[in-house]
Amino acid sequence: MLSVKITPYLSVSFKRKLKISMSKIKKIAVFTSGGDAPGMNACIRAVVRTGLYHQLEMVGIMQGYQGMIDDNFKPMTAHSVSNILQIGGTILKTARCLDFKTDEGMEKAYQNVKKQGIDALVAIGGDGTFTGAERFSNKYNIPIICVPGTIDNDLYGSDYTLGFDTATNTVIEAIDKIRDTAASHDRLFFIEVMGRDAGCIALRAGISCGAEAIMLPEVDTAIDELITKIENGALNKKSSSIVIVAEGDKNGGAYNVAKLVKEKINFYDTKVTILGHLQRGGSPSAFDRILGSRMGFAAVNALLKGETHKMVGLKGNAICLTSLSEAIHFHDFKLEDDLMEMAVILA
Ligand code: F6P
């Protein structure tokens, strides 16, 4: 893995000379694609302002790949990204675009990118966005740098993805509220959180809220095992309980888990809450604002250094680059063993 070392304190005029002489890139387009995530706006702002600082022309593509196909481009100025740091979602809008998966769709997108005179792209999104980016840049030889923007935190090459911290805090706030009513009514709650393939939100929220059990896509939890946990809790005088179910849990989601549990125990009044898309919204946390700014800044600098087909990531506290193919295809992404063990012991 290659680390990008950005020297922070070079004088402005020296840096400007360096950039202009070294890169052929004059116009960069930025877009967001796939599920939105808090912090995307901070990243867009950083990409635009870093590019302008380097005297580049900056463009935003509306609705991700869909906007590329539909020729929906808009010039970006410093003012276009004013007052957006604190806003959730993405000012460039986003979409899950099926047309881009076809050769015709991709060709249309390329013709529009060419017509706009765009030399390089910054794509902000998750693995679906990266897969499109890799195919597009391979086929048409356009430099591209990706930024991991997804609440799921499921990309190899970055300890954190943009939006994950805010989403986890949103989930924690919601579960704390549910805990109040669960305790008041002596109820058992099954709370479903996002995460089709990754249980990062479920695990961290579970630890933070003291959930009695956490059901994760990464772990096959048998219903009988869950029932034993709930029964043990009741024997230990727990009058209410919270079970967090990641949407990708193999038992089929919170409603199904609740149904299976209810068939075997009847001493709790049970309720189900699906937190759903509220997890994706809201003002980004300080962490996501800074992460988005750092990643956007690093993405433009990487392009100007001649990098392409890479994802900007955060490892430890350092910005690094990972090849797109590794970020997409390397699935050795694991939940931390100590968190998994601790979650069981502390519950
Ligand atoms: O953003 C990622 C994610 O939130 C997943 O956890 C979830 O399964 C999915 O998006 C939902 O996507 P959509 O908004 O397209 O239904």
Side-chain angles (χ1 to χ4, degrees), residues 34-37 96 149-152 154 193-198 201 247-248 276-277 279-280:
D36 60 319
R96 299 198 192 271
T150 162
I151 64 164
D152 292 342
D154 59 350
V193 302
M194 276 188 172
R196 252 180 317 209
D197 306 310
I201 293 179
E247 65 176 326
H277 286 78
Q279 296 164 85
R280 288 231 294 255

Side-chain angles (χ1 to χ4, degrees), residues 13 27 31 56 95 109 134-135 170-171 208 232 263 266 276-277 296:
S13 57
K27 190 168 180 178
F31 63 95
L56 305 177
E134 194 190 32
R135 277 189 60 213
T170 302
V171 168
S208 307
N232 285 342
E263 283 167 8
N266 57 9
H277 286 78

Side-chain angles (χ1 to χ4, degrees), residues 31-35 61-71 93-109 128-133 135-136:
F31 63 95
T32 47
S33 167
I61 307 174
M62 301 305 291
Q63 290 185 307
Y65 294 118
Q66 193 60 54
M68 244 189 233
I69 293 173
D70 297 342
D71 202 10
K93 298 190 182 279
T94 185
R96 299 198 192 271
C97 177
L98 294 178
D99 284 354
F100 195 74
K101 293 186 176 168
T102 65
D103 287 346
E104 304 76 60
M106 213 176 248
E107 179 62 27
K108 238 182 180 177
T129 304
F130 292 5
T131 305
R135 277 189 60 213
F136 189 68

